Amino acid sequence: MGLFKRSAPHADDITPSASPTSVPMREKDADITHAETASAVEHHAKWKVSKAGDGDVAMALFKSPDDIHEPIDPAEEARVVRKIDLMILPYLAVCYAFFYIDKTTLSYAAIFGIRKDLDLVGQEYSVRLAGSCRREHVRRLTPFEKWLSSIFYFGFLAWALPTNLLMQRLPIGKYLGFNIFLWGVFLMIQSAARNFAGLAALRAFAGAAEACSDPSFMLITSMWYTRRQQPIRMGIWYTANGFGIALGGLLGFGIGHIKGALPSWKFEFLIIGALCCIWGVVMFIFLPDSPITAKGLTQREKRIAVERLRDNQTGVENKVPYGCIIAISILTCVFLNDYMGRHGRQTRCWFILLFLCPNIAGSFGLRFLADDNKAGRLVSYYLTGPYNAAFVMILAMTTANTAGHTKKVITNAVLFLGYCTGNIAGPFFYKTSQAPQYPLGIWSMIVSHLTEVVIILILRFHLSRENKRRDRIQSQMEGGLEGRDLDATAFSDMTDRENLNFRYLY
């Protein structure tokens, strides 16, 4: 089929003959048939060798070249996509909601008594000076939540690269489920902490367990969906972040009012941690590792799931209103981008900039509106929500524009190293002495986002120029752009820089 299709003579074109003169011709035909058969056998043998080589694992689904380019009915493909959606998206969405609920757990624990019980208020910390055995007291630090929040991302940062490398070697569904379970365990153990040091250590371990989250979600999305479909799917699971904000607030408030043998803040960690552990087990059992091994798909559906990714050329492997604004912004952004993509428009960078604008406006509002302008400052705060839509598009661009499984893993690791660095440094821009306006913190937001605008514009220009350069090179080759052999590189596990057939989305 397709590239490997060979035209054969129709049965009506073969006329039997008993003439003696036809015998030499039949012998000649036999020689030709033998030669073609030998060639076909040799060709299939080479195919099997290549499957065991360095190619993408998706090729293991195709037993021979004739399996490539099976006719796929659009309705059949749509049914497979719906089936994949049900197999993948609910698990990622619930998991992502838990990630944000965890962030609210510490805040509600602070409200319901952890500061007093662990003597965290106004505590002085000390540091051992280099080359000295004595300890000297240092300045009184910012509130403990800032340190515990940052320490979480130190753990995230330290384990980001190792966990991405492990994702390359281990079944990603099982590995993600195990980490979610482990993350829940560390969350539950935080209820047993007796001081800042113990709580900080557990927060660091929890950050390490969560380090696989976004990178694994991006890998899973790229493994199952076409580049056009990826922004919508990322938007769907990232939207759960908004619902997590709303649900986390309700859960935190409700759990905090439990009256039992333990202080209510301990229940915050125990209940949320137990829910995470249960969900980790569910993901370990039911989340497929890849289209090749998915138990919920037939062999035919697996081939469809892989074949439809050929054009990717990437291979396979009271915060309720604010939460609603985030969810609506993300869904609006990804569906508008999908609509433009179906009509051949390159709009991802433009949508990133579009959904950055409210955040920049809101940041200026928070900086310059008077303290007594409650309504204006609240609206400005809500305007920072749409930035999450821009972040989703950045994740989608990263996934769509990185080819080769190893490069995907390293790129994701670098991306979230930056993510961790920002989360570590961010809280310290909001100095207690500058409350309630926090000018340094707000200006850090404004400068960061204005810098981001410049970087996105430069990136769009660079990717557009690179696509035109590749078009120009291939148009001068034999066969031109229309004659490109996309099949030769679709599952070759080449990087986007190595694969001349690859085109960037921007």
Side-chain angles (χ1 to χ4, degrees):
M1 312 283 298
L3 177 64
F4 301 95
K5 184 175 181 180
R6 173 183 292 162
S7 59
H10 194 277
D12 293 340
D13 295 333
I14 303 174
T15 306
S17 173
S19 170
T21 59
S22 66
V23 174
M25 183 60 71
R26 286 199 299 269
E27 291 176 351
K28 183 177 180 181
D29 290 343
D31 291 340
I32 294 172
T33 303
H34 173 75
E36 289 185 345
T37 303
S39 175
V41 170
E42 180 183 3
H43 184 55
H44 281 253
K46 289 180 179 178
W47 172 267
K48 291 179 181 178
V49 169
S50 69
K51 284 200 302 178
D54 295 329
D56 193 276
V57 294
M59 299 308 292
L61 285 174
F62 303 98
K63 297 179 180 178
S64 74
D66 296 329
D67 287 338
I68 297 288
H69 293 302
E70 287 181 295
I72 300 176
D73 179 65
E76 183 181 19
E77 180 182 356
R79 285 194 299 271
V80 172
V81 172
R82 287 194 296 270
K83 196 171 183 179
I84 291 172
D85 286 341
L86 293 175
M87 291 170 57
I88 302 298
L89 295 182
Y91 297 105
L92 301 189
V94 173
C95 194
Y96 216 81
F98 272 125
F99 288 148
Y100 194 85
I101 290 172
D102 166 62
K103 307 302 186 295
T104 65
T105 301
L106 184 63
S107 298
Y108 280 97
I111 293 172
F112 291 108
I114 191 175
R115 296 184 187 183
K116 181 179 179 181
D117 289 354
L118 300 190
D119 190 27
L120 296 170
V121 180
Q123 183 175 359
E124 283 188 314
Y125 306 108
S126 55
V127 58
R128 186 176 298 276
L129 298 178
S132 173
C133 293
R134 63 189 178 88
R135 300 173 70 87
E136 291 190 8
H137 290 292
V138 296
R139 66 178 180 85
R140 191 177 299 274
L141 298 175
T142 50
F144 81 101
E145 295 99 332
K146 294 183 180 180
W147 277 108
L148 291 176
S149 175
S150 294
I151 286 169
F152 178 91
Y153 289 102
F154 275 117
F156 197 119
L157 182 63
W159 193 240
L161 184 57
T163 201
N164 274 271
L165 296 176
L166 285 171
M167 276 191 288
Q168 186 182 12
R169 298 182 176 275
L170 299 174
I172 193 166
K174 303 292 186 295
Y175 184 70
L176 179 58
F178 171 76
N179 276 272
I180 300 307
F181 177 84
L182 200 61
W183 174 57
V185 169
F186 288 129
L187 194 58
M188 293 176 70
I189 298 176
Q190 288 177 51
S191 66
R194 296 186 177 182
N195 51 42
F196 174 84
L199 189 58
L202 290 169
R203 293 292 295 171
F205 282 123
E210 192 181 316
C212 73
S213 56
D214 289 273
S216 65
F217 285 15
M218 293 168 67
L219 280 176
I220 290 170
T221 305
S222 68
M223 191 183 295
W224 289 92
Y225 295 103
T226 64
R227 294 203 290 172
R228 185 183 66 80
Q229 294 170 337
Q230 287 168 11
I232 284 185
R233 270 60 186 189
M234 286 184 175
I236 289 173
W237 55 253
Y238 196 90
T239 297
N241 192 350
F243 293 118
I245 293 174
L247 183 60
L250 296 175
L251 277 175
F253 181 80
I255 295 171
H257 285 82
I258 293 177
K259 303 301 180 183
L262 298 173
S264 57
W265 65 265
K266 291 181 180 285
F267 286 111
E268 298 279 355
F269 292 116
L270 288 171
I271 293 175
I272 301 300
L275 291 173
C276 292
C277 288
I278 293 170
W279 192 247
V281 172
V282 170
M283 293 187 71
F284 186 93
I285 296 172
F286 295 107
L287 181 65
D289 294 309
S290 76
I292 293 88
T293 59
K295 295 180 180 179
L297 299 178
T298 65
Q299 197 69 9
R300 164 75 174 170
E301 289 171 336
K302 290 177 183 178
R303 288 200 295 269
I304 292 174
V306 169
E307 177 66 27
R308 57 192 292 276
L309 303 181
R310 179 178 301 278
D311 289 341
N312 283 7
Q313 293 285 316
T314 59
V316 170
E317 239 346 54
N318 173 341
K319 294 182 178 179
V320 175
Y322 190 68
C324 292
I325 290 171
I326 290 174
I328 292 170
S329 299
I330 292 171
L331 294 177
T332 301
C333 177
V334 296
F335 279 104
L336 283 176
N337 177 74
D338 183 67
Y339 173 81
M340 301 300 287
R342 288 200 305 269
H343 291 79
R345 303 288 297 276
Q346 293 267 32
T347 56
R348 297 193 183 196
C349 286
W350 297 137
F351 278 114
I352 291 172
L353 297 176
L354 177 64
F355 282 85
L356 264 175
C357 289
N359 192 72
I360 295 172
S363 298
F364 274 107
L366 290 172
R367 177 64 192 93
F368 292 108
L369 289 178
D371 291 347
D372 58 359
N373 190 347
K374 306 294 185 183
R377 292 181 67 82
L378 180 62
V379 170
S380 296
Y381 168 67
Y382 285 155
L383 283 174
T384 63
Y387 174 73
N388 290 269
F391 184 64
V392 168
M393 292 305 299
I394 291 171
L395 294 181
M397 279 189 64
T398 303
T399 301
N401 288 329
T402 309
H405 190 72
T406 302
K407 185 174 180 180
K408 287 181 193 175
V409 167
I410 300 299
T411 300
N412 290 344
V414 172
L415 173 66
F416 287 99
L417 287 176
Y419 171 82
C420 292
T421 303
N423 277 281
I424 289 171
F428 297 98
F429 283 92
Y430 294 82
K431 299 189 174 193
T432 306
S433 60
Q434 295 182 344
Q437 288 203 337
Y438 300 105
L440 179 61
I442 301 302
W443 274 115
S444 71
M445 289 174 55
I446 294 171
V447 172
S448 295
H449 291 310
L450 291 178
T451 303
E452 193 172 355
V453 168
V454 175
I455 291 173
I456 292 298
L457 289 172
I458 292 173
L459 178 64
R460 191 181 197 282
F461 171 76
H462 173 70
L463 295 181
S464 173
R465 187 176 65 174
E466 177 61 20
N467 281 357
K468 291 176 182 176
R469 185 186 73 85
R470 296 185 182 201
D471 287 345
R472 187 170 61 253
I473 291 173
Q474 290 192 314
S475 65
Q476 297 171 358
M477 294 180 176
E478 184 178 356
L481 281 175
E482 298 300 324
R484 293 183 297 162
D485 185 2
L486 298 178
D487 296 323
T489 56
F491 301 117
S492 62
D493 202 30
M494 299 169 67
T495 69
D496 48 275
R497 294 291 294 259
E498 296 169 334
N499 184 359
L500 199 59
N501 285 329
F502 188 93
R503 294 296 184 273
Y504 293 98
L505 300 180
Y506 52 85

